[in-house]
Amino acid sequence: MSGNRRKPQREFSAQRDKNAAKRKKRIHMVKIALATLVAAAFAVLFLMPIILTITNSFMSSSEISANYGSVFATNSRGGKVYISEKVNLKFIPDMVSFSQYITVLFKSPQYLLKFWNSVVLVGPIVFFQLLVAALASYGFTRYRGRIREIIFFSYIILMLMPYQVTLVPNYLVAGWFKTLDTYWAIWLPGIFSPFAVFLLTKFMRRIPTSVIEAAQIDGAGEWQIFKRVCMPLCKGAICSAAILVFIDYWNMVEQPLILLSDAEKHPLSVFLSKINSGEIGLAFAVATIYMVPSLLVFLYGEEYLVDGITYQGGIKG
């Protein structure tokens, strides 16, 4: 009799546990759905300016002026005026027009020249900063000591400082080296920027010492360890640093304005920061063209970017 009484109790307990598990699963699914909706809302919110820029670049000048002219209106003294009208944000143009792109690409070579200035300024910075960072990071990783730790701590302090803080010292040093109004005034501070050194050093120090010791037992020298062991394992971190450095310097404005007095040497990012009422339509087209390299770099290196941030070092199978 006692056995028969326990059987319904066990069945009831099992059913209760099953219902509790189903309830927890439903709650978990609801939380995932809410988190997905919130993430999607933020994604749409962040993508809206990009979509607005791309679609508005296919509007005619008259349509752009009718929609956004009040934003850039000025008074007789050249100052901004109070916007009394509502700005009409349009994502779909009334008539698709390529006139802005024709003007930028064919009729006004100054924009392509400024785009080329951006490439000339950013390309050497990305390449040589990674080269310097790879060598310096290997030194900080392989050879520890009090002096080297102090130097590395100084790198961290410099990285934490915003560029506006070091802009005046850079200007003074550039004047002392006679590099003002030359590309070297932009290149040198960028090449020796501490960001990539910090990122690669932290990543390289995660490589297990057993891997390096095994290479030494096999007779590998320092250069072989650096080239054949550390660099392949740091591929993700190098790609991550390259993407972040490229995007950072591709959008620079303060450095060219302060260190390059010749407007012909300014990158396209400076033009985008000086939009006036007569170039609103061109600004959308130029901004779209200017976004293309950053988007391509990010989309191509997205996997490397995530891998470089999350990978903890060692040999992956």
Side-chain angles (χ1 to χ4, degrees):
M1 295 292 293
S2 60
N4 293 333
R5 292 176 182 175
R6 293 192 185 120
K7 186 175 180 180
Q9 292 178 354
R10 286 196 298 267
E11 292 178 354
F12 177 76
S13 178
Q15 185 66 29
R16 183 180 58 187
D17 294 340
K18 187 183 294 186
N19 294 335
K22 290 182 179 179
R23 192 181 304 109
K24 289 182 179 180
K25 186 176 180 179
R26 285 196 297 267
I27 294 174
H28 181 66
M29 294 297 294
V30 171
K31 289 182 179 179
I32 292 178
L34 291 176
T36 303
L37 290 175
V38 172
F42 277 104
V44 172
L45 184 64
F46 288 129
L47 288 175
M48 190 177 296
I50 298 177
I51 297 174
L52 185 68
T53 301
I54 295 175
T55 55
N56 284 195
S57 66
F58 294 99
M59 290 183 181
S60 62
S61 301
S62 58
E63 186 176 357
I64 291 176
S65 299
N67 293 328
Y68 308 107
S70 58
V71 177
F72 302 94
T74 58
N75 55 29
S76 58
R77 299 180 181 179
K80 295 295 182 180
V81 298
Y82 175 74
I83 302 176
S84 58
E85 301 177 359
K86 292 183 179 179
V87 177
N88 184 23
L89 295 178
K90 292 185 63 175
F91 287 91
I92 300 177
D94 295 334
M95 180 179 297
V96 177
S97 173
F98 295 92
S99 59
Q100 312 296 348
Y101 289 99
I102 294 175
T103 302
V104 171
L105 297 176
F106 302 104
K107 296 182 179 180
S108 300
Q110 59 173 330
Y111 301 114
L112 293 180
L113 176 62
K114 293 182 182 298
F115 184 90
W116 176 248
N117 288 342
S118 299
V119 175
V120 171
L121 285 172
V122 177
I125 291 177
V126 175
F127 178 79
F128 287 104
Q129 184 178 146
L130 293 178
L131 179 62
V132 171
L135 296 172
S137 301
Y138 182 77
F140 284 130
T141 301
R142 293 283 290 126
Y143 305 101
R144 302 290 184 91
R146 187 172 183 180
I147 296 178
R148 290 180 177 84
E149 291 299 326
I150 293 175
I151 295 175
F152 185 70
F153 180 75
S154 301
Y155 264 84
I156 298 176
I157 296 299
L158 290 174
M159 189 187 71
L160 294 176
M161 291 183 180
Y163 188 82
Q164 291 78 5
V165 175
T166 59
L167 189 58
V168 173
N170 284 337
Y171 181 85
L172 297 176
V173 172
W176 186 59
F177 279 108
K178 308 297 182 183
T179 58
L180 279 176
D181 203 25
T182 66
Y183 288 144
W184 288 103
I186 306 294
W187 285 340
L188 290 177
I191 290 172
F192 296 99
S193 176
F195 171 73
V197 176
F198 171 79
L199 184 64
L200 291 182
T201 300
K202 286 299 184 181
F203 189 90
M204 203 173 293
R205 285 180 175 178
R206 297 172 183 170
I207 298 176
T209 55
S210 59
V211 177
I212 298 177
E213 290 174 354
Q216 289 176 325
I217 293 174
D218 291 337
E222 294 295 339
W223 174 250
Q224 290 177 319
I225 295 174
F226 170 76
K227 181 180 178 181
R228 298 185 178 181
V229 177
C230 292
M231 287 298 97
L233 293 177
C234 294
K235 181 180 178 181
I238 292 173
C239 292
S240 300
I243 294 171
L244 296 175
V245 171
F246 175 82
I247 294 176
D248 183 26
Y249 283 93
W250 187 252
N251 298 314
M252 62 180 173
V253 175
E254 296 92 346
Q255 299 96 311
L257 284 176
I258 301 300
L259 301 174
L260 298 177
S261 59
D262 187 3
E264 295 297 325
K265 297 180 180 180
H266 286 172
L268 196 57
S269 55
V270 175
F271 163 75
L272 293 176
S273 67
K274 295 180 177 180
I275 301 175
N276 56 53
S277 58
E279 298 171 325
I280 305 173
L282 294 179
F284 283 112
V286 174
T288 302
I289 296 174
Y290 199 64
M291 284 191 296
V292 171
S294 299
L295 293 176
L296 292 179
V297 168
F298 177 78
L299 293 176
Y300 176 77
E302 180 183 4
E303 181 180 353
Y304 295 107
L305 180 63
V306 176
D307 180 67
I309 294 175
T310 59
Y311 177 44
Q312 297 297 317
I315 299 177
K316 296 186 288 186

